[in-house]
Amino acid sequence: MRWVRRPLLPAVRLWRRNLQLRVVAGTLLMSLGVVLLLGLVVIGQVRNGLLDAKGKAAQTQAAGGFAAAQEKANALLSPGGQGGDAADGTSANNSWRTELVDQLASGGKNAFNVVALSADEGSRAPRGSGSVEAASIPQSLRDSVNKGPGAFQTYSLIQYANGQEPQPGLVVGKRLYDIDHNPYQLYYLFPLTQEEKSLTLVKGTLATAGLFVVVLLGAIAWFVVRQVVTPVRMAAGIAERLSAGRLQERMKVTGEDDIARLGEAFNKMAQNLQLKIQQLEELSRMQRRFVSDVSHELRTPLTTVRMAADVIHEARGDFDPVTARSAELLGDQLDRFESLLSDLLEISRFDAGAAALEAEPIDLRQVVRSVIGGAEPLAERKGTRIRVVGDDQPVIAEADARRVERVLRNLVVNAVEHGEGRDVVVRMAAAGGAVAVAVRDYGVGLKPGEATRVFNRFWRADPARARTTGGTGLGLSIAVEDARLHGGWLQAWGEPGGGSQFRLTLPRTADEALRGSPIPLEPEDSRRNRENQERGAAPTAGSRHRLTAVPAQPGGGGRSALPVASRAPVAPGTASASVNPAALPGSGARVVARAAEGRPGGEINAAAQDPEREDTHRGH
């Protein structure tokens, strides 16, 4: 069936997209139906009228003939009407029926024929004019004539003995009596040739007029619809160009009708939209400029305050305990303030479109090792073990090592902070034209809907709680911008109480478009997948890697063992063969759109972490 549908696809697409074609085609079909219905009614009326007129004329003509035939028979039976001797009477009795038929038919040549039949078909042969066969008279009509004294009629096919083509006709018959007072049947046969010619002429006239009317209605519909559709098409084209950013486009308005009013309203809307967008762009530029200027202006006093704070911090041993603690708090908050200032400057560069990508081939394994090495002190204080999966093979991609390291540092530090002392698993994989790094923790997790909001600037899971962990609230926002700058994805998955997973997917080459990720966004050890496995169902789509249980960590306070990825060696080529890089992101994927609004938030400075402070905030 595909080879049948394929040639029809252009026509179907044209039918769906062309309003004018649908309206004209609908008008033609409806007008054709109306013309056909009207033609059938008119033809039926004309046919009935012709047949009624023919029937009345035939009844009148046949009645005169029946009267003349009966008068002739009565005249032969009157006194003196026999004339001559018995031999002459017998001769007249044998030939009078033939003479009667010829006499009656002579008055209507080509208009009708006359047939005389005996009541007893076997006694005398039928007499007829114009080579008409007696078989032209239906048996039902003969039976009716034999039973009643009146005249009867019916429609029949008149047949000829001389080879002439049969033709429809009207047969009128009556029972009469001959000179011997024996009953016989006299029939008038009226051909309907003229009526057929008239009806054919009427049909041809109606067909021609109907076709002309249908074509005319189609042309009128095309013209009328064109007057309406053309401005709509123009408006649609201008709307598409407006959506593409060409805000100066306007409709051409002519006249004062409803379409012109629509065009004027459309142009006013476009003008107001352009004005509002320009105002918003100007406001956005002012805001970005303000943030950038403030950030730069704050550097000088911050440097001075930093120098003074360092002096005070170094001399805190000479102070009383309260003053010494104040000096420590001052240093911590200055560290956080410097991180926030750096993040604001970075965000302003992204907003201004001034961020540049310095891509070069790098092995992500080295970046991951560097990030884990920097996060180890924090992980030790939290009682967390960071494990790596998929580092047995090179994971090469063209990327900016500094930006990728910043993204992964933010993800790993966030996972350690919110992992509640449980293991953090860093998984790497490469397949097709994509590479991916996923960071999995088993902490508080994310509530429904938080997987996308976690990238918003300054977003926190619990707004009622203060930001005490030292994060700026802009780390994930900067991270997602770094991922977009590479043409990649930064996505989040989580479930309440089941931990979360953040996945960074990058193209292997800087100019290659992503079609999928080699790591599923929802891990196989999620609550839903474990329930499916317990029921014997298959894991969610995209789950490719087998996970095993990890024993409880020393000093974990009796924590139950949670399933994390095993570090068992993987055979060369296994990861690539087991993943379809063209597949969509795994089940539960939430791709962060490349919209300008809602840019995500925050990075953690590992050096400024205080292990004694806790926060449910996700977006450091």
Side-chain angles (χ1 to χ4, degrees):
M1 296 298 293
R2 183 178 301 176
W3 64 273
V4 176
R5 292 195 303 266
R6 185 172 298 173
L8 299 178
L9 289 179
V12 173
R13 190 179 298 109
L14 179 63
W15 174 263
R16 291 178 177 176
R17 301 185 61 181
N18 198 319
L19 176 63
Q20 186 175 2
L21 174 62
R22 294 202 302 270
V23 173
V24 172
T27 302
L28 289 176
L29 291 177
M30 289 187 291
S31 60
L32 181 61
V34 171
V35 168
L36 288 176
L37 181 60
L38 182 62
L40 292 176
V41 172
V42 171
I43 290 174
Q45 293 294 332
V46 172
R47 179 176 176 274
N48 293 335
L50 291 175
L51 292 179
D52 290 344
K54 186 66 174 180
K56 292 179 180 179
Q59 287 284 359
T60 302
Q61 182 71 35
F66 295 150
Q70 192 61 49
E71 288 178 0
K72 183 177 181 181
N74 293 337
L76 292 176
L77 291 173
S78 63
Q82 295 283 348
D85 54 12
D88 294 337
T90 302
S91 175
N93 189 29
N94 291 333
S95 62
W96 81 274
R97 193 176 297 176
T98 302
E99 294 175 358
L100 175 63
V101 169
D102 293 339
Q103 181 182 357
L104 294 176
S106 63
K109 188 176 182 181
N110 297 328
F112 58 85
N113 292 296
V114 181
V115 175
L117 300 177
S118 299
D120 184 5
E121 298 182 3
S123 60
R124 297 178 186 274
R127 301 290 188 270
S129 64
S131 302
V132 175
E133 294 185 353
S136 302
I137 303 172
Q139 186 63 41
S140 59
L141 181 59
R142 296 182 187 183
D143 297 339
S144 300
V145 170
N146 278 331
K147 293 178 181 178
F152 298 88
Q153 68 178 25
T154 188
Y155 295 98
S156 179
L157 192 64
I158 302 177
Q159 301 177 9
Y160 298 93
N162 58 2
Q164 184 179 348
E165 289 291 333
Q167 56 184 341
L170 177 62
V171 181
V172 182
K174 187 176 182 180
R175 186 179 65 182
L176 301 175
Y177 294 91
D178 60 7
I179 57 177
D180 295 330
H181 203 71
N182 293 322
Y184 73 97
Q185 300 173 356
L186 186 63
Y187 295 95
Y188 274 77
L189 291 81
F190 298 90
L192 299 177
T193 306
Q194 189 63 36
E195 286 71 17
E196 278 194 337
K197 292 181 179 179
S198 300
L199 191 60
T200 302
L201 178 62
V202 172
K203 289 181 179 179
T205 303
L206 286 177
T208 303
L211 181 61
F212 176 76
V213 169
V214 169
V215 174
L216 181 61
L217 289 177
I220 293 175
W222 180 84
F223 177 77
V224 173
V225 175
R226 180 180 174 83
Q227 300 299 315
V228 179
V229 171
T230 299
V232 175
R233 289 177 177 172
M234 184 185 302
I238 294 177
E240 291 177 354
R241 291 192 288 274
L242 286 174
S243 64
R246 299 169 60 181
L247 302 179
Q248 72 280 2
E249 293 289 335
R250 297 293 184 270
M251 285 186 63
K252 182 180 179 182
V253 179
T254 57
E256 299 179 357
D257 53 9
D258 295 336
I259 300 298
R261 291 169 55 193
L262 175 63
E264 292 176 356
F266 186 90
N267 290 340
K268 290 181 181 178
M269 179 191 69
Q271 183 177 359
N272 294 333
L273 180 64
Q274 182 181 12
L275 180 61
K276 291 296 182 182
I277 291 178
Q278 290 176 350
Q279 292 176 351
L280 291 175
E281 288 178 347
E282 182 65 24
L283 179 60
S284 178
R285 283 195 295 269
M286 292 176 60
Q287 290 176 343
R288 292 197 299 267
R289 183 64 179 269
F290 175 77
V291 172
S292 178
D293 291 345
V294 168
S295 302
H296 282 88
E297 292 297 330
L298 287 177
R299 280 193 171 277
T300 300
L302 180 61
T303 303
T304 304
V305 173
R306 164 58 68 183
M307 294 173 62
D310 289 343
V311 173
I312 296 174
H313 188 271
E314 291 177 357
R316 68 184 183 279
D318 301 332
F319 301 152
D320 59 89
V322 176
T323 306
R325 180 57 180 166
S326 299
E328 293 177 357
L329 292 176
L330 178 62
D332 292 342
Q333 294 304 314
L334 281 175
D335 290 338
R336 182 180 173 187
F337 188 46
E338 285 183 337
S339 299
L340 176 61
L341 189 59
S342 299
D343 290 346
L344 286 174
L345 288 173
E346 188 68 21
I347 284 290
S348 65
R349 282 192 288 269
F350 281 118
D351 291 341
L357 184 68
E358 300 177 0
E360 60 181 0
I362 61 173
D363 190 347
L364 293 184
R365 297 181 301 173
Q366 299 177 1
V367 179
V368 170
R369 294 190 187 104
S370 175
V371 169
I372 293 176
E376 281 294 344
L378 177 63
E380 291 177 359
R381 292 195 297 268
K382 290 289 185 177
T384 300
R385 183 173 61 174
I386 303 176
R387 306 197 58 183
V388 181
V389 176
D391 60 342
D392 53 333
Q393 295 180 358
V395 183
I396 307 297
E398 290 185 6
D400 190 330
R402 179 181 63 87
R403 297 183 183 276
V404 174
E405 183 176 356
R406 179 166 60 188
V407 173
L408 295 179
R409 183 189 308 116
N410 185 278
L411 299 183
V412 172
V413 171
N414 272 346
V416 173
E417 280 286 342
H418 301 282
E420 297 184 342
R422 297 184 175 93
D423 282 359
V424 171
V425 181
V426 180
R427 182 190 301 277
M428 290 182 290
V435 298
V437 180
V439 180
R440 173 80 161 103
D441 68 77
Y442 299 90
V444 294
L446 296 173
K447 298 177 182 178
E450 292 183 351
T452 52
R453 295 198 302 270
V454 73
F455 296 103
N456 294 339
R457 298 177 182 180
F458 300 108
W459 180 85
R460 66 184 75 177
D462 186 2
R465 298 188 61 180
R467 191 183 307 276
T468 59
T469 58
T472 64
L474 296 173
L476 287 178
S477 176
I478 296 175
V480 79
E481 293 292 349
D482 284 331
R484 291 170 180 170
L485 192 61
H486 285 84
W489 304 333
L490 181 58
Q491 301 159 275
W493 168 92
E495 57 186 9
S500 62
Q501 176 165 290
F502 286 74
R503 181 183 67 183
L504 173 65
T505 307
L506 300 176
R508 283 194 172 183
T509 56
D511 57 347
E512 186 175 1
L514 284 178
R515 295 179 299 167
S517 178
I519 300 177
L521 182 58
E522 181 176 355
E524 189 178 277
D525 60 347
S526 65
R527 185 180 298 115
R528 180 174 60 175
N529 285 338
R530 292 200 303 269
E531 292 176 354
N532 291 338
Q533 291 174 0
E534 291 175 359
R535 292 195 300 265
T540 54
S543 297
R544 302 286 185 176
H545 302 277
R546 178 68 59 188
L547 302 182
T548 60
V550 174
Q553 300 302 312
R559 293 186 301 266
S560 60
L562 292 175
V564 296
S566 172
R567 294 195 60 184
V570 181
T574 302
S576 299
S578 63
V579 177
N580 180 9
L584 291 175
S587 178
R590 296 176 178 86
V591 180
V592 179
R594 293 176 176 270
E597 65 274 10
R599 296 181 183 270
E603 176 185 355
I604 289 180
N605 186 342
Q609 300 305 313
D610 187 344
E612 298 178 355
R613 299 169 186 158
E614 295 289 344
D615 188 13
T616 58
H617 163 72
R618 277 276 187 184
H620 289 289

